[in-house]
């Protein structure tokens, strides 16, 4: 059995090397970060009297890289404190320390000779059996391993992390010809479970899977738009969400990646493939080469295909005219096909609406798409052995909503393949044979998912038991109850899952009704309840549009009823007779947090952005959020036998400043999560982990949460909180309306005008919440904030 990976060494402290080290630190792996010894002293080092032999000088590059991790945006660390898990060093003094590592990662410059020479040095200190990998975006793993021993080559492979490693889910593993297959198998499981990655096995070919197909698609798009005379912004309007691609589409993606980086990747394929037709496609256009030569590299240089500049009215986005190579103001793009795509729901529907639009944008989309689909099919067997690897690579590495073969199914495999051939495109023989056998898709649902495996037929997509799919369970008729906003699904083993599926998973009456019904059902027939979903975000809060409409119509009784229903439903959830575990992910805001607070335990995904943000729209939490944090402060003060006020101050600041965590770990640091709550790195495993938590609680003799009395700070504590808010107003940090909101929040959290130290009921605190919420709904400036958030998607300071 292979030794667990607890220590790692990363060689190369550049952007990728340091970011990989950061992600290893994120998951609890201690890491040695090595780089070369600088040859010259800095002015600061000279002033300090250092010599070239001083450790601070010799370790400078790695030390600086670790320090930069705390400043980089987006943050590579879940928590800045995790940087302490990384130890800086240098290749001359500390290379022998790699013998203590369980995994050594080479992440130096993309140069075959440099990597070969370094691997030779690594082997001299290498401990037999230790995994060694090269982080490369396309250099041959087999050529890198030339000259190394057989034992070393058995433990050597490629690990292509996508940048930034914390956020990009894809990890391509590239075994060499001699890599031990068992090592690949166990290492893949480690990368999925511990690093939280979507792992695909790629073949040792130029640029592997995602960069090979992604680069091809970008170059095809550039050529097609040039031939058709489309502008940069027109091409991006078509090749973004309308085609199931990210908002950065084609040219914003190139600007983000860096045009010099993209040129290097394209040249790598051009130099290493033998097919003349393919080489021609990967020959970078002259315009792209000229831009790189001129230093127009994209976002990192300030100019690329787009240029963000200051104008008379503030920041303006200008785009490059490829005919004149000059910038001009970006123009809004619209057409029938694009508008139809916007109105369609889901990637499949959007794509079909775009392609059937009948205008020049629809034709452009089809001409790009058909070439990418055919190219992807041509590369099966060369870059990867099965279609799933290609689809997962493009979704995880380029943020496509559908992989190439899922896309082909979505637009109709048989019909579209026929159309391609009619238009003179050569559809690969294996695709035509597959269709000739009577197959109409590459994937199909049949007690799970089946996929094209070979000409002999489909194979079953066997998921590890830890990857629970609510979609699959629904297809297996495991839905217990359902309405427009939510469903209760049987997870097996006596555990049910409450899934939200309203637009943006915003909480409305339908979701509250299903929560109430779910508690009743679980009390009767299940051992416990998981609250989780597979939406883009867990929950963005309550239905703000409904609240605004009622406030504008001055329907105060309606708003009171809405808030009472929310509060009573959360109380019912808290009093559930069986254990409840919430598994939030990504945006979990306002009411989404208030759904999690009554749970016995929270299993948060590492990428969870968690916060009570109601003050941003001129309100305060009123679904139990204030009450629950006041209760938490009361408990913490009692446990520590300490003054209540400091604990209350912390939560007042948290809610008043609408603080949102930058990760699941940060949510714990801020105080939103309890010490007993957990963070899971791979979001695909979160539902399984939540289910196991329910079973542990049930097996441990679960006792429902009894009603507690809350010790409040009262009028004296309220005065302390309000005084702090007044100080912020006088310093110009907050507006008059912010001060009004803060005073009402202080009133609620402190328990109103009750005597200091009084014990009050949860319902007393809920009544305070509701009264404050209603009074704020009557404020014109609050309604302005609500309207601005709905229109602009960001808070208004008024």
């Amino acid at each position: 059995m292979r030794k667990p990976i607890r220590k790692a060494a990363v060689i190369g402290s550049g952007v990728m090397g340091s970011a990989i080290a950061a992600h290893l630190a994120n998951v609890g792996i201690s890491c040695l970060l090595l780089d070369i010894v600088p040859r010259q002293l800095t002015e600061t080092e000279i002033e300090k009297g250092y010599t070239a032999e001083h450790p601070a000088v010799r370790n400078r590059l790695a030390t600086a890289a670790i320090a930069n991790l705390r400043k980089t945006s987006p943050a590579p660390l879940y928590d800045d404190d995790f940087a302490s898990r990384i130890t800086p060093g240098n290749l001359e003094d500390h290379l022998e320390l790699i013998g203590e590592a369980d995994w050594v990662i080479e992440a130096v410059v993309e140069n075959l000779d440099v990597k070969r020479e370094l691997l030779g040095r690594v082997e001299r200190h290498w401990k037999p059996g230790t995994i060694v990998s090269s982080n490369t975006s396309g250099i041959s793993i087999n050529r890198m391993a030339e000259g190394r021993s057989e034992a070393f080559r058995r433990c050597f492979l490629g690990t292509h992390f996508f940048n930034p490693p914390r956020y990009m889910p894809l990890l391509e593993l590239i075994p060499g010809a001699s890599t031990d297959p068992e090592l690949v198998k166990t290492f893949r499981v480690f990368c999925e479970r511990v690093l939280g990655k979507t792992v695909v096995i790629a073949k040792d070919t130029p640029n592997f899977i995602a960069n090979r197909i992604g680069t091809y698609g970008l170059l095809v798009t550039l050529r097609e738009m040039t031939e058709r005379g489309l502008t940069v912004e027109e091409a991006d309007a078509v090749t973004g969400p309308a085609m199931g691609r990210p908002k950065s589409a084609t040219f914003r993606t190139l600007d983000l990646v860096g045009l010099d980086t993209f040129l290097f990747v394209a040249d790598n394929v051009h130099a290493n493939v033998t097919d003349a037709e393919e080489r021609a496609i990967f020959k970078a256009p002259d315009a792209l080469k000229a831009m790189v030569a001129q230093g127009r590299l994209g976002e990192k240089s300030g100019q690329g295909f787009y240029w963000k500049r200051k104008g008379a009215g503030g920041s303006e986005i200008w785009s490059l005219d490829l005919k004149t190579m000059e910038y001009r103001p970006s123009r809004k793009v619209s057409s029938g096909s694009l508008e139809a795509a916007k109105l369609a729901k889901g990637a499949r529907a959007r794509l079909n609406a775009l392609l059937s639009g009948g205008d020049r944008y629809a034709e452009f989309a089809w001409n790009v798409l058909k070439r990418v689909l055919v190219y992807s099919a041509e590369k099966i067997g060369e870059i990867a052995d099965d279609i799933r690897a290609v689809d997962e690579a493009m979704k995880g590495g380029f943020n496509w909503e559908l992989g190439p073969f899922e896309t082909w199914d979505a637009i109709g495999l048989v019909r579209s393949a026929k159309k391609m051939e009619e238009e003179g495109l050569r559809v690969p023989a294996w695709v035509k044979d597959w269709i000739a056998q009577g197959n109409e898709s590459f994937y199909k649902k049949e007690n799970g998912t089946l996929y094209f495996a070979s000409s002999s037929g489909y194979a079953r997509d066997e998921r590890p038991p830890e990857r629970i799919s609510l979609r699959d369970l629904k297809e297996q008729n495991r839905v217990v109850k359902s309405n427009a906003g939510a469903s209760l699904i049987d997870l097996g083993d006596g555990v049910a899952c409450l899934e939200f599926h309203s637009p943006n998973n915003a909480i409305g009456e339908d979701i509250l009704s299903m929560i109430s019904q779910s508690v009743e059902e679980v009390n009767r027939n299940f051992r416990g309840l998981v609250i989780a979903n597979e939406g883009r975000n867990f929950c963005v809060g309550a239905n703000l549009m409904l609240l605004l409409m009622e406030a504008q119509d001055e329907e105060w009784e309606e708003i009171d009823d809405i808030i009472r229903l929310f509060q009573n439903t959360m109380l019912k959830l808290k009093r559930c007779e069986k254990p409840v575990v919430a598994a939030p992910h990504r945006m979990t805001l306002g009411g989404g947090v208030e759904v999690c607070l009554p749970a016995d335990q929270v299993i948060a995904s590492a990428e969870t952005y968690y916060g009570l943000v109601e003050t941003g729209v001129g309100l305060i939490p009123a679904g139990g959020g204030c009450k629950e944090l006041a209760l938490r402060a009361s408990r913490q003060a009692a446990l520590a036998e300490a003054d209540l006020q400091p604990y209350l101050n912390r939560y007042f600041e948290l809610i008043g400043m609408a603080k949102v965590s930058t990760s699941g770990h940060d949510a714990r640091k801020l105080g939103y999560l309890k010490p007993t709550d957990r963070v899971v790195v791979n979001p695909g495993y979160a539902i399984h982990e939540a289910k196991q938590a329910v079973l542990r609680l049930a097996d441990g003799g679960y006792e429902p949460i009894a009603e507690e009395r809350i010790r409040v700070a009262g009028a004296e504590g309220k005065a302390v909180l309000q005084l702090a808010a007044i100080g912020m107003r006088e310093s110009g940090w907050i507006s008059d309306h912010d001060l009004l909101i803060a005073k009402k929040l202080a009133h609620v959290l402190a328990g109103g005008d009750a005597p200091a130290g009084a014990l009050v009921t949860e319902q007393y605190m809920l009544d305070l919440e509701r009264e404050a919420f209603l009074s704020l709904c009557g404020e014109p400036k609050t309604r302005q904030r609500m309207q601005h958030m709905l229109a602009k998607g960001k808070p208004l300071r008024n």
Side-chain angles (χ1 to χ4, degrees):
M1 187 147 184
R2 183 167 290 277
K3 181 183 173 185
I5 295 174
R6 305 200 189 284
K7 292 184 177 180
V10 177
I11 304 174
S13 66
V15 173
M16 278 304 293
S18 60
I20 291 169
H23 193 58
L24 296 179
N26 282 335
V27 300
I29 295 172
S30 60
C31 188
L32 176 67
L33 182 61
L34 303 179
D35 212 315
I36 60 173
V37 175
R39 295 303 171 212
Q40 290 184 319
L41 297 176
T42 65
E43 288 185 12
T44 302
E45 289 166 345
I46 293 170
E47 288 172 5
K48 289 181 177 180
Y50 291 169
T51 69
E53 298 308 308
H54 195 287
V57 176
R58 297 177 71 79
N59 298 339
R60 184 212 305 152
L61 296 180
T63 301
I66 296 168
N68 282 335
L69 293 174
R70 294 184 172 95
K71 306 170 188 173
T72 303
S73 180
L77 293 162
Y78 292 148
D79 183 328
D80 283 352
D81 291 345
F82 291 172
S84 64
R85 297 170 179 172
I86 309 172
T87 303
N90 68 75
L91 285 169
E92 293 180 17
D93 301 329
H94 306 113
L95 188 57
E96 73 238 20
L97 295 178
I98 67 171
E100 300 173 8
D102 306 309
W103 177 17
V104 179
I105 307 160
E106 169 274 301
V108 299
V109 63
E110 288 281 75
N111 180 289
L112 178 60
D113 292 335
V114 172
K115 288 178 181 287
R116 267 189 188 154
E117 188 274 334
L118 178 59
L119 290 173
R121 293 173 64 189
V122 167
E123 186 171 9
R124 289 197 285 274
H125 301 283
W126 170 73
K127 181 176 59 182
T130 298
I131 297 170
V132 180
S133 72
S134 172
N135 185 69
T136 174
S137 59
I139 296 177
S140 170
I141 301 304
N142 287 314
R143 292 187 67 191
M144 264 190 251
E146 288 173 359
R148 307 278 59 78
S149 68
E150 176 64 23
F152 186 91
R153 293 201 306 270
R154 285 181 63 77
C155 296
F156 178 65
L157 74 164
T159 47
H160 181 204
F161 287 86
F162 277 66
N163 190 33
R166 169 184 163 179
Y167 301 95
M168 295 299 287
L170 182 64
L171 174 59
E172 294 178 326
L173 295 187
I174 310 99
S178 302
T179 310
D180 179 2
E182 270 308 305
L183 178 147
V184 176
K185 190 182 298 183
T186 57
F187 189 57
R188 176 177 191 163
V189 172
F190 162 81
C191 293
E192 289 175 343
R193 294 185 179 177
V194 179
L195 300 185
K197 293 298 177 185
T198 297
V199 180
V200 299
I201 306 298
K203 296 201 170 187
D204 188 19
T205 55
N207 290 9
F208 313 129
I209 301 174
N211 276 350
R212 184 76 167 268
I213 292 172
T215 304
Y216 176 90
L218 291 167
L219 289 169
V220 163
T221 301
L222 187 55
R223 283 182 168 79
E224 185 69 22
M225 61 148 319
T226 302
E227 288 177 10
R228 294 180 172 273
L230 268 62
T231 64
V232 164
E233 56 265 47
E234 283 178 317
D236 271 358
V238 176
T239 59
M243 282 183 72
R245 310 285 171 78
K247 288 182 180 178
S248 57
T250 297
F251 295 103
R252 289 191 192 279
T253 295
L254 284 170
D255 279 354
L256 288 167
V257 168
L259 272 61
D260 52 342
T261 302
F262 177 76
L263 197 58
F264 174 84
V265 172
D267 287 347
N268 188 52
V269 180
H270 183 263
N272 288 286
V273 296
T274 55
D275 181 78
E277 192 174 325
E278 188 173 9
R279 276 175 59 85
I281 287 290
F282 282 92
K283 186 177 185 299
D286 291 338
L288 195 60
K289 292 179 182 178
M291 290 175 71
V292 172
Q294 294 162 10
R296 295 198 264 192
L297 307 180
E299 196 166 271
K300 60 187 172 184
S301 69
Q303 291 184 353
F305 286 101
Y306 291 97
W307 175 27
K308 188 175 182 179
R309 63 190 294 276
K310 288 186 178 179
S315 291
E316 299 174 346
I317 303 296
W318 286 30
S319 60
L320 186 68
D321 185 328
L322 290 175
K323 292 177 182 175
T324 65
M325 297 302 285
E326 298 292 335
Y327 293 97
R328 54 164 178 74
S330 293
R331 299 164 187 163
K332 190 174 180 181
V333 180
S334 183
S335 78
S337 62
L338 291 172
E339 292 307 309
K342 284 179 185 176
L343 293 172
K345 292 184 179 180
R348 289 170 173 80
R350 289 199 305 273
L351 180 58
N352 280 300
L354 173 66
L355 294 177
S356 60
D359 57 26
R360 67 191 189 114
Y361 294 143
E363 190 175 350
F364 168 65
W366 167 247
N367 283 342
V368 169
L369 188 64
K370 69 181 180 183
R371 288 176 171 81
V372 172
L373 298 184
V374 166
Y375 184 74
S376 300
E378 288 173 347
K379 296 299 126 184
I380 291 297
E382 180 183 337
I383 63 174
D385 280 329
D386 72 68
I387 64 170
R388 294 174 306 167
V390 173
D391 281 346
E392 291 301 316
M394 298 317 299
K395 290 188 290 184
F398 277 74
N399 290 322
W400 291 10
E401 291 185 68
L402 301 171
F405 297 97
E406 292 171 328
T407 298
W408 217 332
D409 283 356
I411 64 173
L413 171 61
V414 177
R415 178 179 57 80
S416 61
K418 181 181 178 184
K419 183 178 179 183
M420 290 172 190
E421 292 227 289
E422 289 172 351
E423 293 175 355
L425 209 57
R426 293 193 304 272
V427 174
W430 72 265
V431 175
K432 292 193 286 187
D433 290 344
W434 181 247
I435 293 171
Q437 292 172 31
N439 298 299
E440 297 183 353
S441 63
F442 292 115
Y443 295 91
K444 69 176 180 178
K445 294 290 184 180
E446 193 175 286
N447 294 322
T449 301
L450 302 179
Y451 67 96
F452 164 85
S454 68
S455 57
S456 59
Y458 289 100
R460 187 165 299 283
D461 188 358
E462 299 291 352
R463 291 173 176 264
E466 296 89 351
R467 294 191 71 91
I468 295 174
S469 167
L470 297 180
R471 179 182 293 181
D472 285 354
L473 291 175
K474 287 190 283 189
E475 288 171 353
Q476 294 165 24
N477 298 316
R478 299 278 285 276
V479 176
V480 180
K481 290 178 177 291
S482 186
N483 65 19
S487 296
L488 186 68
I489 303 164
D490 186 352
L491 296 179
D493 301 316
V495 181
C497 179
L498 176 63
E499 175 202 33
F500 301 162
H501 46 67
S502 68
N504 295 316
N505 287 346
I507 297 173
E509 189 174 347
D510 46 7
I511 285 181
L512 294 173
S513 172
M514 188 51 59
I515 292 173
S516 182
Q517 293 178 56
S518 296
V519 170
E520 293 169 4
E521 182 68 28
V522 167
N523 284 341
R524 287 194 301 266
N525 299 315
F526 288 88
R527 301 184 67 197
L529 176 67
V530 168
I531 304 176
N533 62 70
E534 295 169 332
R536 176 171 174 75
N537 297 306
F538 177 77
C539 177
V540 297
N543 188 331
L544 190 60
M545 175 63 81
L546 176 62
L547 280 172
L548 176 61
M549 289 170 62
E550 299 289 5
Q552 287 174 332
D553 293 341
E554 298 185 357
E555 297 285 355
W556 311 124
E557 288 187 10
E558 287 292 328
I559 296 175
D560 187 67
D561 288 344
I562 291 169
I563 302 307
R564 281 181 190 274
L565 176 62
F566 200 147
Q567 291 180 339
N568 291 339
T569 304
M570 294 305 102
L571 271 182
K572 188 172 185 178
L573 183 64
K574 185 173 183 177
R575 304 282 179 254
C576 183
E577 296 167 14
K578 307 292 175 67
V580 176
V581 176
H585 66 277
R586 293 186 62 82
M587 301 300 285
T588 304
L589 304 175
V593 173
E594 290 179 305
V595 167
C596 296
L597 287 173
D600 297 283
Q601 191 174 6
V602 173
I603 306 293
S605 291
E607 298 302 339
T608 300
Y609 317 124
Y610 199 87
L612 292 167
V613 296
E614 285 84 353
T615 58
V617 289
L619 300 168
I620 67 162
C626 292
K627 179 262 294 183
E628 284 296 322
L629 291 190
L631 174 58
R632 195 172 291 182
S634 174
R635 286 175 183 162
Q636 289 167 335
L639 189 63
E641 297 182 353
D643 180 20
L644 173 62
Q645 192 70 48
Y647 297 95
L648 208 57
N649 293 349
R650 180 186 188 187
Y651 294 123
F652 176 69
E653 182 182 351
L654 197 63
I655 299 173
M657 301 300 290
K659 288 188 177 180
V660 177
S661 72
T662 56
S663 69
H665 292 279
D666 189 47
R668 176 182 286 126
K669 194 172 184 178
L670 289 172
Y672 282 125
L673 298 187
K674 306 184 295 293
T676 53
D677 295 333
R678 291 183 49 228
V679 177
V680 176
V681 180
N682 192 323
Y685 287 30
I687 296 175
H688 169 81
E689 291 297 325
K691 176 183 173 182
Q692 297 309 305
V694 165
L695 293 173
R696 282 193 294 272
L697 288 166
D699 291 341
Y702 177 76
E703 292 288 336
I705 299 173
E707 182 171 356
E708 294 180 62
R709 296 275 175 156
I710 301 170
R711 188 174 300 280
V712 296
E716 294 177 15
K718 175 173 73 170
V720 172
L721 298 178
Q722 291 186 342
L723 189 61
I726 291 168
M728 292 185 72
R729 177 67 193 103
E730 290 176 349
S731 300
W733 286 99
I734 61 175
S735 68
D736 287 337
H737 192 53
D738 289 325
L739 179 59
L740 173 67
I741 298 163
K743 285 182 175 180
K744 290 185 181 293
L745 176 61
H747 180 76
V748 175
L749 283 176
D753 294 318
L759 291 172
V760 302
T761 64
E762 291 186 51
Q763 188 58 56
Y764 171 86
M765 296 296 286
L766 290 174
D767 291 343
L768 291 179
E769 276 187 2
R770 197 176 62 260
E771 289 164 8
F773 188 94
L774 278 165
S775 68
L776 286 168
C777 283
E779 294 287 336
K781 286 190 176 181
T782 284
R783 295 198 291 274
Q784 288 170 13
R785 288 191 179 193
M786 295 165 76
Q787 198 159 10
H788 190 272
M789 178 62 74
L790 287 166
K792 305 291 185 180
K794 55 186 179 182
L796 171 69
R797 288 294 306 274
N798 60 350

